[in-house]
Amino acid sequence: MPDDLTFTDDTKGLQSTVSGLSGTPTAPLPFLGGVVVRAFVLQRPQGNTIVYNAPGISEAADEIRGLGRPERLLLNHHHEAMYGAPSLDVPVFIHEADRAGVDLPIAGTFSERHMIDDDLEVIPTPGHTPGATMFLWDNGAHRFLFSGDSLWVQGSEWKAVLLGDSDRAAYLDSLALLKAVDFDVLVPWGVEVGEPYGYAVTREEAAANLDKIIARLKAGENA
């Protein structure tokens, strides 16, 4: 498991505590106090990839370019577009079901579960939004699941984010699907201020956490 999943100072540029994974400076989530978002740069031999849209991309644009021109920016869901296009020349991709909610240039869409090269998997997980999609990256040492807003951690508890226009049944199906996904680090889009950017977890712990969310959603709760 990674020893340190906490960045020391969010006022600076890119930070990294895990080989090949860098996080941008944070920005506040406008509609939820005490929560910040960031983007992540995945340094890959096949071409660097950015996961999530956040203002920190523009803040750290020169550093991102210094790591090598990114080949793509992957959006988990259309709410990320609220921050606008980053000040960086990078093609943006999103699930086709969320395309209509994005008012920024889109280079392409996807709809099915598939691999990008041999290390990065695109996993549609509808529910939070119709096109919510997680990304599973294997850096050779760890398997990072970038869950966007579909899974995040409040306190020490994993939670879903079921909004008024979310699809509860689709969410439940996606959570059930995730129980078969092998990952050891959960990396949400948003985290509470001062909390880690990622959460190391065993396969058994992940399944238990997902079961708790499934039980709450089946009971009519929204998280």
Side-chain angles (χ1 to χ4, degrees):
M1 292 291 181
D3 293 328
D4 182 9
L5 294 170
T6 302
F7 294 139
T8 57
D9 185 354
D10 286 323
T11 66
K12 297 180 180 179
L14 290 181
Q15 294 194 56
S16 177
T17 62
V18 174
S19 178
L21 179 68
S22 299
T24 68
T26 61
L29 193 61
F31 47 80
L32 189 58
V35 175
V36 294
V37 299
R38 57 168 61 87
F40 293 89
V41 182
L42 284 51
Q43 291 179 255
R44 307 169 56 241
Q46 307 93 328
N48 292 352
T49 295
I50 301 174
V51 176
Y52 306 145
N53 187 42
I57 296 174
S58 297
E59 294 180 49
D62 289 341
E63 291 179 84
I64 294 173
R65 294 187 193 97
L67 296 177
R69 181 182 180 277
E71 294 198 345
R72 62 182 63 83
L73 166 57
L74 300 174
L75 301 188
N76 166 268
H77 68 301
H78 69 81
H79 297 154
E80 297 167 44
M82 76 173 88
Y83 292 109
S87 299
L88 185 70
D89 182 20
V90 56
V92 180
F93 295 84
I94 192 170
H95 193 287
E96 63 181 21
D98 271 19
R99 173 64 182 90
V102 175
D103 186 20
L104 54 85
I106 295 296
T109 61
F110 47 80
S111 61
E112 303 293 334
R113 184 171 179 173
H114 66 280
M115 296 294 299
I116 298 175
D117 304 310
D118 61 354
D119 64 328
L120 182 58
E121 187 173 10
V122 176
I123 307 175
T125 49
H128 176 66
T129 65
T133 301
M134 299 190 191
F135 307 103
L136 180 68
W137 179 50
D138 187 344
N139 77 340
H142 301 287
R143 292 172 63 82
F144 300 89
L145 183 66
F146 296 89
S147 58
D149 274 0
S150 295
L151 286 177
W152 77 301
V153 179
Q154 186 176 30
S156 60
E157 188 172 32
W158 287 24
K159 292 192 172 184
V161 182
L162 191 71
L163 304 176
D165 58 354
S166 296
D167 185 327
R168 187 181 298 268
Y171 223 139
L172 286 167
D173 287 343
S174 293
L175 293 168
L177 177 151
L178 289 174
K179 291 182 65 177
V181 174
D182 182 14
F183 64 96
D184 59 14
V185 183
L186 180 72
V187 188
W189 181 45
V191 298
E192 294 180 306
V193 173
E195 291 300 305
Y197 66 83
Y199 301 86
V201 64
T202 66
R203 187 96 181 250
E204 294 74 19
E205 290 168 340
N209 284 320
L210 291 167
D211 280 338
K212 290 178 182 178
I213 298 174
I214 290 169
R216 291 198 297 270
L217 293 187
K218 285 184 175 179
E221 300 178 33
N222 288 346

